[in-house]
Amino acid sequence: MTEIESKKDGGGKVEPIHEPEVVGPSEVLREDVLEEYSLSRFQKIVIKSEYGRKRYLVIEPPLDENDIRIINRIKEIIEYKDESIPLDVLKDERLKKKYIEEETERLLEKLKVPRDKWDKVRYYISRDLAGLGKIDAPMHDDFIEDISCSGVGVPVYVWHIRHGYIPTNIVFSSEEELESIVYKLSVLARKMISVANPSIEGILPDGSRVVCNLGMVSLKGPSFTIRKYTRVPLSVADLIKMNTISAQLAAYFWILIENKKSLVVIGEVGAGKTTLSNALLGFIRKSSKIITIEETPEIRLEGYENWSQKITRESIREDVRSIDLFELVKTALRERPDYVIVGEVRGRESYVLFQSIALGHGGLTTLHADDVESAIKRLTSKPLDIPLYLVSLASAFVKVAKIVTERGEVRRRVITVQEVEALKEGEIVFREVFRYIPETDSIEMVGESIVFKKIAAEHGISIDELYEELSNREQFLAYLSRMEDLDWKRFSDLIERYHIEGRRLLEMLRGEGGS
Ligand SMILES: Nc1ncnc2c1ncn2[C@@H]1O[C@H](COP(=O)(O)OP(=O)(O)O)[C@@H](O)[C@H]1O
Ligand SMILES: [Mg+2]
C-alpha cells in the first residue's frame, strides 16, 4: 500500500501581521501549495492553487535528453523482444513485471549506463512497461477516484476526494502516445478495441472500470475514462459519520430491509449508489439466502455464508456462451433467495427482478437516474420496459447525490426517500418520507411512512410500537457510528447481535450514558 504523508499549506511561510481584508490582485496571482504528499520514492503529488484554479501535479524525477535516449533504447529492446516472451509470462502481471525488471537490469549493465542513473531509469521503465505510464501515479493515489482524458494536447483530469474535479500536468502530446495507452487499457480489460469496434467498456485487473474510445468517435482523438475501484467497503456507521445518511434514516432502512421491503437507489454516475447499497446490505440477517447479480464484482458481503455472488460473463470466444444478467436473475429465483440484489439494472433482467419483488423476495438495486420521475420513466420504457404495476411494488426510491459546496468540498448525501403510495390512474403516487435540508446539512423525516403502516399490520403491532423501535434502533446506530474502527463486517456482526439481544444491548448503552 502507498504511504501517504500529507502536509498542509506551504510550510515555512511567514504571514504578514496585517493581511488586507480585500482580495486584491496579489491574492489572485498567488500560487499556493494546498497539499503535498508522496506516493512512492519517485512519485510526489502537489496540489496547487494557480491564480485561483486548482491543479494536480505529478512530480517525478527530472530527465535530460541523454536520460530519455537511454530509457527509450531500453524500452525498445524489451518491447521488441516482447514477441519472443512466452505467453504465460505476458499474461501474468507479476511474471511480466519480474521479467521487465530482470531485462532492465541486464541492459543497464550491457549499455554501460552510469550507476547514478540506474534507479531513475528503472523507475521509468517499470512505470511505462509494467504500469500505466503517465497515469501510473494517479492510478496509485488513493485520493483519486476518476481519471479521464478527452484527447491529445489537453490535460488529463482527475477527481480528487478532497478537491473535486481538477486538471493535472499530465498531457498526451501525440495521437500515437494516447492511442498506445488506450490499446494498453483495452488489453488489460480483455476487450478488443479496433477500427471496427472503436469504443469499449471493461474492467481492469484491479476492478477499476474503464471506457476507451479510438479517434473515430471523438474529435480530439482517442479518449478514456477510468473509474477507480476503492478497496474498503463503507459501512452504515461510516455513512452516518460522514453524514451521507442520518442515524434515523439508517434505522428506517434497517426496518424496511429486515421486512424484505425493496429499495431502488437512484442517482448519477459516481453519486454513491453502489456504496450505499453495499452498506445497507449489512442490515440483512446472517442466515438469509442472498443472491447478488452484477456485471462488475463490486458488492462485498463479508461474513455471509449463504451468499451467492453471480457475475455476468461476456464471452470473447464463439464457442463459449455468454451469460447475461437476465439469465442469471432467472436462474437465481429458482434458488429461493430471501434477497435478490442486482448491482445496476440496465436491461431485461430488471423485469425478472421486479417479478421477484412481487413474489415477496427482498430486493435492492441501483439505477442511473436523476430523480424519481425519470427513474420511473426509464424503468417503464425500452429497453427495460417493466409494467408500471410491477414498478409500483417497489417500496421506496432513494436518491443519493454528490454535492460540491461553494468552498469546493465534496459531500455525498441522500437527498430524498420516496415511498410508493399508490398506483392511481396509470401513475405512481409517491410520498416523500425523508428529505435533505441544505441549510442545515441534515436529513429530516418529513412524512409518515406508509410502508411502516404495512409492516405494523403484517406483524399485528401498533404503528406507535414500530416508531418506538425506529427510535431504539436510531439510538443504537448513533452509538455504533461513534465507535472507532468499526468496519463493514463488525458492523453487520453487531446488527446481528441486536436482533438476538437488542433490549439488553440498549440497556447497556443507556447505562453507559450513551444517549
Ligand atoms: N458516502 C460517501 N462518502 C464518501 N465517498 C463515497 C460515498 N459514497 C461513495 N463514495 C465514493 O464515491 C465513488 C463512487 O461511488 P459508487 O458507489 O461506485 O457510485 P455509483 O454506484 O453511484 O456510480 C467511490 O470511489 C466511493 O468510494
Ligand atoms: Mg454503481
Side-chain angles (χ1 to χ4, degrees):
M1 276 294 270
T2 51
E3 206 182 287
I4 290 170
E5 308 145 20
S6 191
K7 212 170 91 189
K8 280 302 278 180
D9 287 291
K13 225 186 307 158
V14 184
E15 288 293 321
I17 300 170
H18 299 290
E19 272 267 84
E21 289 285 352
V22 200
V23 178
S26 63
E27 185 74 10
V28 179
L29 290 176
R30 225 165 66 189
E31 287 196 313
D32 273 343
V33 172
L34 303 175
E35 202 171 341
E36 219 182 294
Y37 50 86
S38 305
L39 297 176
S40 67
R41 198 175 140 212
F42 291 121
Q43 286 174 332
K44 198 172 110 183
I45 303 302
V46 175
I47 294 166
K48 259 188 165 181
S49 169
E50 295 176 344
Y51 317 122
R53 206 164 161 243
K54 288 181 183 178
R55 219 150 76 95
Y56 178 94
L57 307 175
V58 179
I59 313 292
E60 294 171 302
L63 299 173
D64 58 30
E65 267 174 40
N66 196 28
D67 299 338
I68 295 176
R69 232 188 346 262
I70 297 170
I71 290 170
N72 284 343
R73 180 82 192 108
I74 297 183
K75 269 162 59 176
E76 243 171 59
I77 299 175
I78 299 180
E79 277 185 323
Y80 182 71
K81 275 192 67 177
D82 247 357
E83 288 165 304
S84 57
I85 308 177
L87 205 64
D88 49 322
V89 171
L90 259 185
K91 270 165 78 182
D92 185 314
E93 287 301 313
R94 256 190 30 244
L95 291 178
K96 188 176 150 195
K97 195 159 184 249
K98 194 159 159 266
Y99 174 86
I100 291 166
E101 280 166 7
E102 286 167 4
E103 275 302 277
T104 310
E105 219 54 42
R106 196 178 63 79
L107 291 163
L108 284 167
E109 198 89 56
K110 195 176 153 203
L111 300 174
K112 301 207 168 48
V113 177
R115 284 268 165 186
D116 60 324
K117 292 192 187 294
W118 281 31
D119 279 354
K120 190 152 95 173
V121 174
R122 276 196 202 109
Y123 164 71
Y124 279 103
I125 302 285
S126 138
R127 182 199 82 165
D128 292 354
L129 297 186
L132 282 169
K134 284 186 174 174
I135 57 165
D136 203 57
M139 277 306 281
H140 287 110
D141 183 344
D142 285 345
F143 292 130
I144 298 300
E145 292 180 354
D146 285 27
I147 304 169
S148 63
C149 172
S150 56
V152 175
V154 288
V156 168
Y157 271 72
V158 290
W159 178 278
H160 192 285
I161 290 178
R162 287 204 279 264
H163 304 282
Y165 204 43
I166 47 178
T168 66
N169 61 341
I170 307 168
V171 178
F172 290 94
S173 44
S174 71
E175 181 129 356
E176 295 75 62
E177 191 189 9
L178 183 50
E179 224 168 68
S180 92
I181 185 92
V182 163
Y183 277 117
K184 195 163 192 170
L185 288 169
S186 62
V187 168
L188 284 172
R190 290 166 185 269
K191 292 283 170 89
M192 298 278 272
I193 195 163
S194 65
V195 181
N197 187 23
S199 176
I200 62 115
E201 218 187 306
I203 302 148
L204 298 178
D206 74 348
S208 300
R209 286 188 195 212
V210 61
V211 178
C212 292
N213 291 301
L214 282 181
M216 303 77 209
V217 228
S218 47
L219 280 177
K220 274 184 279 184
S223 62
F224 64 83
T225 304
I226 299 169
R227 286 188 53 210
K228 281 174 60 187
Y229 176 81
T230 41
R231 286 155 218 88
V232 217
L234 297 177
S235 71
V236 163
D238 293 322
L239 296 184
I240 296 173
K241 226 178 257 176
M242 297 191 289
N243 209 16
T244 296
I245 54 178
S246 63
Q248 188 190 34
L249 175 56
Y252 163 87
F253 284 139
W254 185 357
I255 291 175
L256 257 60
I257 289 171
E258 181 191 357
N259 287 284
K260 296 194 190 164
K261 301 300 174 201
S262 49
L263 298 171
V264 180
V265 179
I266 64 169
E268 298 185 352
V269 174
K273 302 182 293 294
T274 305
T275 306
L276 176 63
S277 309
N278 197 83
L280 293 180
L281 296 178
F283 282 135
I284 295 180
R285 297 295 303 266
K286 297 273 174 168
S287 56
S288 310
K289 179 155 186 70
I290 309 170
I291 294 183
T292 61
I293 299 157
E294 305 166 272
E295 279 178 1
T296 321
E298 286 187 298
I299 293 173
R300 272 161 293 165
L301 307 178
E302 209 191 326
Y304 283 79
E305 285 169 356
N306 210 354
W307 166 40
S308 123
Q309 184 179 31
K310 300 185 190 297
I311 308 292
T312 51
R313 187 178 69 197
E314 196 181 332
S315 172
I316 31 175
R317 279 170 49 191
E318 288 210 343
D319 54 334
V320 178
R321 210 163 54 98
S322 293
I323 299 177
D324 66 13
L325 282 173
F326 175 73
E327 232 170 293
L328 281 180
V329 183
K330 227 173 58 186
T331 42
L333 289 185
R334 288 195 211 112
E335 297 176 34
R336 308 196 149 274
D338 295 306
Y339 295 90
V340 181
I341 319 298
V342 175
E344 186 176 351
V345 294
R346 290 164 179 232
R348 293 183 300 158
E349 75 283 357
S350 44
Y351 189 90
V352 190
L353 174 72
F354 278 88
Q355 267 185 329
S356 100
I357 291 172
L359 289 171
H361 304 296
L364 180 67
T365 191
T366 74
L367 176 75
H368 177 197
D370 279 352
D371 49 42
V372 176
E373 288 70 37
S374 45
I376 301 302
K377 202 154 174 201
R378 257 204 83 190
L379 286 167
T380 51
S381 45
K382 280 195 183 341
L384 305 180
D385 229 2
I386 308 161
L388 196 65
Y389 81 90
L390 275 184
V391 174
S392 75
L393 295 175
S395 297
F397 285 72
V398 181
K399 180 184 172 179
V400 56
K402 190 155 74 174
I403 304 171
V404 182
T405 65
E406 280 172 22
R407 292 173 46 215
E409 253 178 275
V410 181
R411 296 170 172 172
R412 286 187 171 79
R413 298 289 183 263
V414 166
I415 299 297
T416 177
V417 177
Q418 307 201 25
E419 293 183 349
V420 173
E421 183 167 352
L423 184 62
K424 248 192 218 146
E425 289 154 15
E427 266 189 50
I428 295 181
V429 182
F430 286 98
R431 172 175 301 191
E432 189 170 45
V433 186
F434 285 87
R435 185 193 306 151
Y436 175 66
I437 316 290
E439 290 77 26
T440 51
D441 188 26
S442 60
I443 299 129
E444 307 289 342
M445 196 164 195
V446 292
E448 247 178 60
S449 166
I450 300 162
V451 181
F452 267 29
K453 271 194 196 140
K454 284 184 197 153
I455 294 173
E458 281 162 19
H459 288 280
I461 57 171
S462 75
I463 189 82
D464 289 344
E465 281 173 276
L466 197 54
Y467 273 100
E468 196 186 318
E469 184 57 22
L470 179 76
S471 145
N472 284 343
R473 291 188 185 188
E474 176 186 349
Q475 282 173 40
F476 181 63
L477 291 169
Y479 181 84
L480 295 191
S481 73
R482 288 193 294 269
M483 282 172 70
E484 295 285 327
D485 300 325
L486 190 65
D487 64 12
W488 195 93
K489 176 160 187 305
R490 277 197 58 217
F491 176 85
S492 67
D493 289 347
L494 289 174
I495 294 298
E496 187 68 24
R497 254 189 83 188
Y498 181 93
H499 282 290
I500 298 163
E501 45 174 359
R503 184 144 301 161
R504 213 172 65 84
L505 280 179
L506 278 173
E507 276 161 16
M508 266 162 52
L509 296 187
R510 285 176 188 143
E512 263 181 39
S515 60

